[in-house]
Amino acid sequence: RLSPYQQKAVELIERFDEDGDDRVRRTDVPLRFQLTFGKLDLNGNGEITSGEVAEAIEQFAKAERKKRRSKSD
């Protein structure tokens, strides 16, 4: 069973994967997503996979939880 992060990542890849190779290239996404793409491309190879997206989402969620805890202290 997929974690919520993995499920979201798979959905994103499926949405933008033009050729069915389970990868999304920067040129596959609309211009408004170009900046976000760079944050998801963790290895900097110009394409993202569901694994990279899931990891990036998880890192973001952890950072947000840490910020919230810091504010409540």
Side-chain angles (χ1 to χ4, degrees), residues 13 16-30 34 37 45-48:
I13 296 298
F16 294 108
D17 183 12
E18 295 285 328
D19 59 7
D21 66 352
D22 294 324
R23 299 180 184 283
V24 174
R25 286 154 198 79
R26 185 180 294 274
T27 56
D28 294 339
V29 298
Q34 296 282 324
F37 186 95
N45 69 347
E47 55 188 36
I48 55 176

Side-chain angles (χ1 to χ4, degrees), residues 2-20:
L2 298 177
S3 75
Y5 304 124
Q6 292 168 324
Q7 183 60 43
K8 201 67 158 157
V10 167
E11 291 169 9
L12 185 136
I13 296 298
E14 287 175 350
R15 180 175 175 192
F16 294 108
D17 183 12
E18 295 285 328
D19 59 7

